[in-house]
Amino acid sequence: EKADALWGFPELTIEYLLQCPKYKINFHNARPETTSFTHNYIDAGNGLLVGHWDKIASEAGYTAKAIRDKYCADIIQGHTHRVGYVAKTYGKKVKIGAEIGCMCSSPPQETDANWQLGFTVVYQKDDKNYIYPVNIREDYSFISPEGKYFCL
């Protein structure tokens, strides 16, 4: 109810909390007149954009595909609650779109929510992005990109 009183404090901005200047991250904020937190993203280097855009699609990967095609870049989209991975070749370069899943204790049981538990691991090397979606199974187990098994 009193959150508006905190608006404008530099210590509460995404740039400050992520230490963007320190890590040379270029943050693209929504327009000042925007009333919701949409279409925010960071340029993580190597042509990788990580953010929360103003799109949502009904199936896993469709949102990432639309954003990847718009920006012709590797993208990671948060907040879809789905695990999705799509690739497309532009000339000689392959661009990836990824939706990172959600880390909720479990998707809502009372609905037909199309949510998947998961996260995404990114490695950057030699001006390339290596993007690995990780699915967390129903028993909360997963295998890391390095091949190690975990069960939460």
Side-chain angles (χ1 to χ4, degrees):
E1 164 179 323
K2 299 190 190 245
D4 288 343
L6 300 174
W7 189 259
F9 280 95
E11 295 83 5
L12 298 177
T13 64
I14 293 173
E15 298 96 325
Y16 182 86
L17 295 170
L18 295 178
Q19 301 180 38
C20 290
K22 176 180 177 180
Y23 295 107
K24 298 181 174 82
I25 295 172
N26 187 11
F27 178 74
H28 299 267
N29 204 353
R31 297 179 313 275
E33 66 273 12
T34 301
T35 58
S36 64
F37 296 102
T38 61
H39 208 67
N40 293 297
Y41 66 94
I42 61 171
D43 181 342
N46 293 348
L48 174 63
L49 305 178
V50 180
H52 181 289
W53 283 268
D54 59 353
K55 293 201 179 301
I56 188 72
S58 61
E59 298 293 327
Y62 288 21
T63 301
K65 177 187 179 302
I67 297 165
R68 181 211 57 210
D69 290 349
K70 179 178 180 178
Y71 288 91
C72 191
D74 290 332
I75 70 101
I76 295 175
Q77 161 72 340
H79 205 183
T80 64
H81 300 281
R82 298 185 188 98
V83 176
Y85 184 93
V86 291
K88 183 175 182 178
T89 302
Y90 295 88
K92 295 185 180 205
K93 293 194 178 255
V94 175
K95 298 297 179 183
I96 304 299
E99 295 172 27
I100 62 173
C102 69
M103 296 292 287
C104 303
S105 59
S106 65
Q109 300 298 317
E110 66 279 358
T111 69
D112 291 330
N114 181 17
W115 291 10
Q116 298 90 47
L117 300 177
F119 59 95
T120 298
V121 176
V122 178
Y123 296 103
Q124 292 184 310
K125 181 165 175 54
D126 300 328
D127 297 327
K128 294 179 185 70
N129 301 306
Y130 299 89
I131 301 170
Y132 301 95
V134 179
N135 295 297
I136 299 174
R137 304 307 304 186
E138 296 80 9
D139 65 353
Y140 301 104
S141 65
F142 65 92
I143 296 179
S144 73
E146 295 82 15
K148 187 172 179 183
Y149 173 83
F150 294 89
C151 189
L152 306 175

